[in-house]
């Protein structure tokens, strides 16, 4: 629920991380669970984005994390400007996603392709494997339920 209006917001969470020196990875269900834990609280989208990124950074100690949320806010659709179908996008990065624009750009290129690739290998300019990048796309809701999932995802 939006902590300002107590009205739901919902959308998709796009998550990418590059394992650190320990090469620790988690299953896709754990990424979904992290989104669910934080989305069940009274929340604002900016904080939700940051909390997902910070928890992955703390747990996995990866080389980098990027989290991008695309959400619809019913408070905008039902009251005030009554702007139906508007999507608000928030993004936060750390590590190589923050330091190297090419790594972040690769993530955004994958999202443009539909974001449906998991365990995709990022290649450097010579075609050599640079590092594995885990991509996940998950619908999130103010209450963590699946009630507003896009049927095409």
């Amino acid at each position: 629920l939006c902590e300002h209006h107590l009205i739901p917001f919902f959308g998709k969470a796009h998550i990418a991380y590059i394992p650190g020196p320990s090469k620790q990875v988690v299953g896709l269900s754990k990424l979904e669970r992290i989104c669910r834990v934080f989305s069940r609280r009274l929340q604002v989208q900016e904080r939700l984005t940051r909390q997902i990124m910070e928890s992955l950074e703390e747990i996995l100690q990866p080389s980098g994390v990027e989290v991008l949320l695309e959400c619809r806010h019913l408070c905008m659709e039902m009251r005030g400007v009554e702007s139906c179908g508007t999507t608000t996008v928030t993004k936060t990065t750390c590590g190589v996603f923050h330091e190297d624009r090419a790594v972040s750009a690769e993530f955004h290129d994958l999202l443009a392709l539909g974001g449906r690739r998991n365990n995709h290998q990022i290649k450097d300019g010579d075609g050599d494997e640079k590092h594995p990048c885990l991509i996940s796309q998950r619908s999130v809701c103010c209450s963590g339920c699946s009630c507003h999932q896009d049927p095409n995802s």
Side-chain angles (χ1 to χ4, degrees), residues 8 31 49 52 55 58 62 67 70 75-76 79 81 91 95 100-101 119-120 122 132 140 145 148-149 151:
L31 297 177
T49 308
I52 294 168
S55 66
E58 181 181 334
V67 176
E70 299 177 85
C75 54
M76 281 180 49
R79 50 182 303 285
V81 295
K91 173 184 114 164
D100 187 347
R101 296 191 105 158
N119 296 320
H120 182 80
I122 296 179
V140 293
C145 68
H148 301 288
Q149 282 190 19

Side-chain angles (χ1 to χ4, degrees), residues 28-41:
L28 293 175
S29 66
K30 303 304 183 278
L31 297 177
E32 186 268 336
R33 191 174 298 160
I34 289 170
C35 293
R36 198 176 281 261
V37 164
F38 290 116
S39 67
R40 288 186 178 204
R41 304 173 180 176

Side-chain angles (χ1 to χ4, degrees), residues 23-111:
K23 302 199 184 309
Q24 183 177 1
V25 296
V26 295
L28 293 175
S29 66
K30 303 304 183 278
L31 297 177
E32 186 268 336
R33 191 174 298 160
I34 289 170
C35 293
R36 198 176 281 261
V37 164
F38 290 116
S39 67
R40 288 186 178 204
R41 304 173 180 176
L42 286 176
Q43 200 55 277
V44 293
Q45 184 174 334
E46 297 85 350
R47 185 182 324 118
L48 176 59
T49 308
R50 189 179 68 251
Q51 287 174 330
I52 294 168
M53 189 267 308
E54 288 173 348
S55 66
L56 287 169
E57 184 179 31
E58 181 181 334
I59 295 165
L60 299 176
Q61 299 176 341
S63 296
V65 178
E66 183 163 340
V67 176
L68 186 142
L69 296 185
E70 299 177 85
C71 296
R72 287 179 50 200
H73 293 254
L74 292 183
C75 54
M76 281 180 49
E77 295 187 21
M78 295 170 47
R79 50 182 303 285
V81 295
E82 295 183 5
S83 179
C84 292
T86 300
T87 301
T88 301
V89 177
T90 52
K91 173 184 114 164
T92 189
T93 61
C94 69
V96 295
F97 286 97
H98 185 73
E99 298 158 4
D100 187 347
R101 296 191 105 158
V103 175
S104 186
E106 178 76 16
F107 175 53
H108 291 264
D109 288 347
L110 289 170
L111 292 178

